[in-house]
Amino acid sequence: MTEPLSRNQLISALAKGMKPRDEWRIGAEHEKFMFAWSDLHRPAYGGPDGIRAMLDGLTRFGWRPVLERDQVIALERENTEGLTSSISLEPGGQFELSGAPLKTVHDICDETGRHLVEVKMVADELGLGCLGLGFDPLWRRDQIPIMPKGRYDIMRAYMPKVGTLGLDMMLRTCTIQSNLDFDSEADMVLKFRTSLALQPIATALFANSPFTEGKPNGFLSARANVWTDTDPDRTGMIDFVFQDGFGFERYVDYALDTPMYFVKRDDRYIDASGQSFRDFLEGRLPALPGEYPTMKDWVDHLTTLFPEVRLKSYLEMRGADGGPWSRICALQALWAGLLYDGPCLSAAWDVVKDWDIEDHERLRRDVTRQGLKAEVAGRSLRDVAREVVAIAKMGLKHRARFSGGMVDERGYLSELEDIADSGVTPAERLLDLYHGDWQGDVSRVYRDFAY
């Protein structure tokens, strides 16, 4: 029998994420759609040109298989510092790199570049390609194959009970994320509040999902819209973050009050959907009566919360659509510049500190359709975005992390500066192509923008 965990232990587990400034790292996560060049279909797990074949092919580069019920469902590899990165599968076969925690945006870009080269080498042999968008531009939900991961079976059954778009989130979306550290509870709180308020700006700058099933869908970020009707218990702007007294304890209570999905025992996922982790702490979980959770169960549960910013032993920025290699690097530069320099973090908070929860919620919804043309607190989002990108650029200047002589991290923001200055999102540029050179043929996005 497992010894019972206390609520204080769960709080302490989050607090253990605190790191001194000289140990802060950046972790990038990015997903992309795999497709077959023959007819653009999303590949199944099995078969000679399937996702399993992709995973097997990548083992030549030193990746180790991770098995579930004798199926390869992920890969892992250590870098020269012994830090682990992984390749995992989203429910519809979206390929995700969860990168190692690295010191600079230069390192992130190097890691991303190596990953994409390796993936392309194997994909080319299998007749596959990769596409970085926020939402599948062509295929219906029922045309997308399901990956053989037990947790996804439970989630697929539960999602329709709590929202209308959860299955789209699982099967038809891709994102880029940035993971960053904090050195104290107060530092975590300021970073959480600032980055949560700024997620809609990131959504607008990275908006890249204007097509569904071969046609414009009325959104600039259909991916972000999906999150507005996935599961209200575990998504959104979580307004308590902006309230007095927020800290590790309050986030733990939020997680305890969020219904569970599953418990993993050995190689088996046990359906605990809708049940209470508070009951689990007391040995009263209906799915496992008399058993108490391990710390691994708690860590697993934290991964099933999906707010716009997520707290684990670090903070995850979750507002951006999937995109090309350049914007994978740009997202890391944006958040490192904003959050890793004290004066610039304060300046970024000054931009948003007077917004109320109605502003946050309205902006989160407005940017899905309006992008940088949305407004907040009497300002155009384009103006806010320009100010925020400029603050991030100053933060990167202060960081002074160089590569190749005198080249610091500011160059990775050039694409975002162009987007903010023009007020034209990547999605609007895709729509211009659709109505112009592509003559209404969405399949051109594969030819013109595949990796």
Side-chain angles (χ1 to χ4, degrees):
M1 293 290 291
T2 305
E3 287 294 320
L5 289 173
S6 70
R7 177 172 168 273
N8 285 339
Q9 285 177 289
L10 306 184
I11 295 167
S12 296
L14 291 182
K16 286 179 181 177
M18 296 186 297
K19 297 178 177 66
R21 179 179 293 268
D22 61 1
E23 294 181 14
W24 287 356
R25 299 290 183 109
I26 307 165
E29 301 181 32
H30 40 95
E31 303 164 354
K32 50 270 184 196
F33 296 111
M34 304 300 299
F35 67 91
W37 280 111
S38 59
D39 60 3
L40 308 182
H41 74 268
R42 298 268 296 275
Y45 177 80
D49 57 354
I51 295 297
R52 169 67 187 264
M54 274 292 308
L55 294 170
D56 289 343
L58 286 167
T59 59
R60 76 185 70 165
F61 301 109
W63 292 95
R64 297 190 311 276
V66 177
L67 301 179
E68 179 181 310
R69 293 177 292 189
D70 297 323
Q71 301 271 36
V72 180
I73 49 89
L75 303 170
E76 291 183 344
R77 183 172 70 184
E78 285 81 37
N79 64 15
T80 55
E81 297 181 66
L83 299 169
T84 301
S85 55
S86 64
I87 295 172
S88 57
L89 302 180
E90 293 301 299
Q94 303 96 310
F95 237 58
E96 178 179 12
L97 176 71
S98 296
L102 301 173
K103 293 179 180 178
T104 72
V105 183
H106 308 300
D107 297 330
I108 295 285
C109 266
D110 289 345
E111 175 193 60
T112 300
R114 286 195 301 273
H115 169 70
L116 295 180
V117 166
E118 292 172 1
V119 168
K120 181 170 173 52
M121 287 179 64
V122 177
D124 284 349
E125 295 169 4
L126 302 177
L128 302 177
C130 303
L131 184 65
L133 289 179
F135 196 90
D136 187 299
L138 203 56
W139 301 107
R140 298 191 313 269
R141 190 190 293 172
D142 62 1
Q143 294 174 307
I144 296 170
I146 306 298
M147 297 300 107
K149 295 178 69 170
R151 65 184 289 168
Y152 294 154
D153 293 339
I154 294 169
M155 291 172 65
R156 284 172 53 229
Y158 182 72
M159 285 292 184
K161 301 175 183 178
V162 291
T164 66
L165 299 176
L167 295 181
D168 280 333
M169 179 277 290
M170 295 181 68
L171 300 172
R172 297 205 284 183
T173 64
C174 281
T175 187
I176 309 167
Q177 295 179 195
S178 186
N179 304 328
L180 295 109
D181 292 316
F182 44 84
D183 65 9
S184 66
E185 186 170 33
D187 184 46
M188 180 279 291
V189 169
L190 181 57
K191 285 174 175 171
F192 204 143
R193 288 173 173 166
T194 304
S195 61
L196 185 59
L198 290 174
Q199 287 307 312
I201 287 82
T203 298
L205 288 168
F206 289 81
N208 195 36
S209 46
F211 305 120
T212 298
E213 297 171 19
K215 297 178 181 179
N217 52 34
F219 295 95
L220 300 179
S221 178
R223 182 205 61 83
N225 178 66
V226 160
W227 283 111
T228 67
D229 193 9
T230 290
D231 183 345
D233 289 327
R234 67 187 74 241
T235 62
M237 298 299 287
I238 49 175
D239 60 348
F240 64 83
V241 171
F242 301 103
Q243 296 172 359
D244 292 343
F246 172 67
F248 296 126
E249 182 176 2
R250 181 66 185 86
Y251 194 86
V252 164
D253 284 338
Y254 159 68
L256 287 173
D257 291 331
T258 300
M260 296 175 64
Y261 281 153
F262 59 81
V263 180
K264 188 177 183 184
R265 289 292 178 265
D266 298 320
D267 206 22
R268 184 169 58 99
Y269 283 90
I270 299 166
D271 189 346
S273 55
Q275 298 177 27
S276 167
F277 208 97
R278 288 188 189 274
D279 288 344
F280 201 6
L281 284 177
E282 297 173 5
R284 296 189 290 106
L285 190 72
L288 287 173
E291 287 199 31
Y292 296 97
T294 66
M295 191 56 72
K296 177 64 165 58
D297 294 327
W298 174 244
V299 171
D300 284 346
H301 180 56
L302 290 178
T303 69
T304 70
L305 279 58
F306 305 122
E308 292 295 288
V309 175
R310 180 163 63 185
L311 174 62
K312 296 195 283 193
S313 58
Y314 46 84
L315 288 167
E316 293 183 354
M317 312 293 116
R318 298 174 49 81
D321 280 7
W325 176 87
S326 59
R327 290 204 289 277
I328 295 171
C329 302
L331 187 74
Q332 319 312 316
L334 177 69
W335 292 117
L338 291 170
L339 302 187
Y340 274 4
D341 175 74
C344 289
L345 174 58
S346 296
W349 174 242
D350 284 342
V351 173
V352 302
K353 65 182 181 182
D354 294 326
W355 299 357
D356 57 31
I357 191 59
E358 288 77 17
D359 290 324
H360 298 308
E361 293 291 353
R362 185 185 313 110
L363 186 60
R364 178 189 177 221
R365 291 181 179 275
D366 286 351
V367 296
T368 64
R369 292 184 182 271
Q370 300 175 28
L372 294 169
K373 296 177 178 63
E375 295 184 355
V376 58
R379 298 185 66 187
S380 75
L381 201 63
R382 176 186 176 187
D383 287 344
V384 175
R386 292 173 71 180
E387 182 178 4
V388 168
V389 172
I391 293 169
K393 190 172 183 180
M394 183 59 67
L396 296 177
K397 180 181 179 181
H398 292 166
R399 270 172 58 81
R401 304 299 174 91
F402 295 98
S403 176
M406 295 300 293
V407 179
D408 67 16
E409 297 166 314
R410 286 175 288 175
Y412 298 112
L413 291 177
S414 58
E415 187 172 1
L416 299 188
E417 289 182 289
D418 177 59
I419 293 168
D421 287 343
S422 69
V424 180
T425 65
E428 289 166 295
R429 295 176 183 181
L430 291 177
L431 288 167
D432 287 344
L433 288 169
Y434 173 85
H435 293 295
D437 290 351
W438 293 354
Q439 298 182 18
D441 181 6
V442 165
S443 69
R444 289 281 300 276
V445 73
Y446 295 86
R447 191 185 77 184
D448 292 357
F449 288 93
Y451 295 154

